Amino acid sequence: MTNSSVRNAQTWPYIRHRDFEAQLRKSSSLWFAERGLAVNPKMPYILADWKDWRNNIILPEVSDYIVAEQKRHSEQGQGFPLHKYLHHGLSSQAMIFNLIGPLVIQDHFAILKKAFQSAKIPWPKGPISVEFEVEDRLIFREDTGQPTSIDFAIRGQQESRPLFIEAKLVEREFGNCSVFRNGDCDGRNPSENYDLCYLHHLGRKYWILMDKFGFLKGLAGNCPICPLAIYYQFFRELIFAVESGGEFVLLYDERNPTFFSGISPKERGLIPFLVSFVPDSLKPFFHSISIQQIVAKIHESKENQWLLEFEQKYALLT
């Protein structure tokens, strides 16, 4: 044999996810160690206890803001889920708190505006309000359990389209359907018979809204395999955004090969693939922006005293 699988693997042109994640595990471990924080003895990139999640946030003022927001949401009868792995150094929720949180508490939305406009994402008009952990049980009629939740929203004046932002860091996927994952669904596409779907039986409006926005006239309706079984979160959050009159934005790390290949043209990755399922009428309402693009705009500003720590924590200096 002239070629072996080992030799062929060395010529694969795409970044391997494991290499990217190993880099972030190392930087997170060093960041915790330099601060003398208690960590999991086998996984030093994870804090010892979930209750220590504040130690995963760079600025104490951001931690205080998150706690206050959680209390405010609770007083209004709304949820504000802090993720199960918020104490994990590679938590995407912690990452967005660390990246955008300082801009929120300092009211420096002009930096975000520049980054979004550079990425050709329309910025809402008028005075801006923002919110972490956005949910609305009425959109999909999610009357029990954890409803669809999006990491961050930017809203302008009433006639302006809000932006709903979902953050990903080292994730290898969009969240899948727990009914399928738990073995209670065969993964068959119920587009022609919604009653095959347990969630539809419960009263959820996922398939009703998939139909409303034209998904079922294309690949999502014609594929024999249910697109929600594996890519449940992507479709749910995109529809949540447009049903709310807004636009959906993916915040991702350019080094993560899961969402984009990193090789031009970017024909590989979940985003090019999943966007092929999106009706043409909705494609203008889907956007993506990288962590690196936002970091670049923060560098241009004078409000970046905390940015060095962010870059150290997430291996952006190497």
Side-chain angles (χ1 to χ4, degrees), residues 173-223:
E173 61 184 11
F174 282 99
N176 54 29
C177 175
S178 62
V179 179
F180 175 73
R181 184 173 65 246
N182 293 337
D184 294 315
C185 172
D186 58 12
R188 189 177 314 187
N189 194 333
S191 61
E192 295 184 0
N193 181 5
Y194 299 165
D195 290 334
L196 292 173
C197 177
Y198 174 71
L199 295 175
H200 181 78
H201 176 75
L202 293 184
R204 306 292 186 264
K205 295 173 61 179
Y206 306 127
W207 290 101
I208 293 171
L209 291 178
M210 288 277 281
D211 184 31
K212 172 182 174 179
F213 288 109
F215 282 90
L216 303 187
K217 295 178 182 178
L219 289 175
N222 298 328
C223 178

Side-chain angles (χ1 to χ4, degrees), residues 28-39 44 47-48 52 55:
S28 186
S29 298
L30 287 172
W31 196 83
F32 289 150
E34 288 171 357
R35 286 152 185 78
L37 299 172
V39 296
L47 292 168
D52 300 329
N55 291 329

Side-chain angles (χ1 to χ4, degrees), residues 110-123 289 297:
I111 298 173
L112 280 179
K113 181 179 180 179
K114 288 180 181 179
F116 277 62
Q117 289 182 331
S118 293
K120 302 188 185 311
I121 301 172
W123 187 257
I289 186 170
K297 291 303 177 184

Side-chain angles (χ1 to χ4, degrees), residues 214-276:
F215 282 90
L216 303 187
K217 295 178 182 178
L219 289 175
N222 298 328
C223 178
I225 298 172
C226 175
L228 300 189
I230 304 175
Y231 306 117
Y232 182 49
Q233 185 189 30
F234 173 81
F235 292 104
R236 205 172 76 237
E237 293 189 335
L238 174 58
I239 292 173
F240 180 103
V242 294
E243 177 70 0
S244 301
E247 309 194 13
F248 182 56
V249 181
L250 173 69
L251 171 63
Y252 70 101
D253 193 303
E254 292 174 3
R255 300 166 295 179
N256 187 342
T258 296
F259 302 102
F260 290 104
S261 69
I263 295 178
S264 183
K266 297 180 178 179
E267 74 281 3
R268 286 180 60 90
L270 276 182
I271 295 307
F273 173 61
L274 291 176
V275 167
S276 70

Side-chain angles (χ1 to χ4, degrees), residues 59-89:
L59 294 183
E61 303 95 310
V62 172
S63 299
D64 293 341
Y65 175 82
I66 295 303
V67 171
E69 280 294 280
Q70 193 177 33
K71 180 180 179 182
R72 181 179 70 83
H73 277 69
S74 178
E75 290 172 349
Q76 295 177 356
Q78 301 172 338
F80 191 98
L82 294 180
H83 296 179
K84 180 180 179 180
Y85 292 106
L86 181 55
H87 64 309
H88 195 305

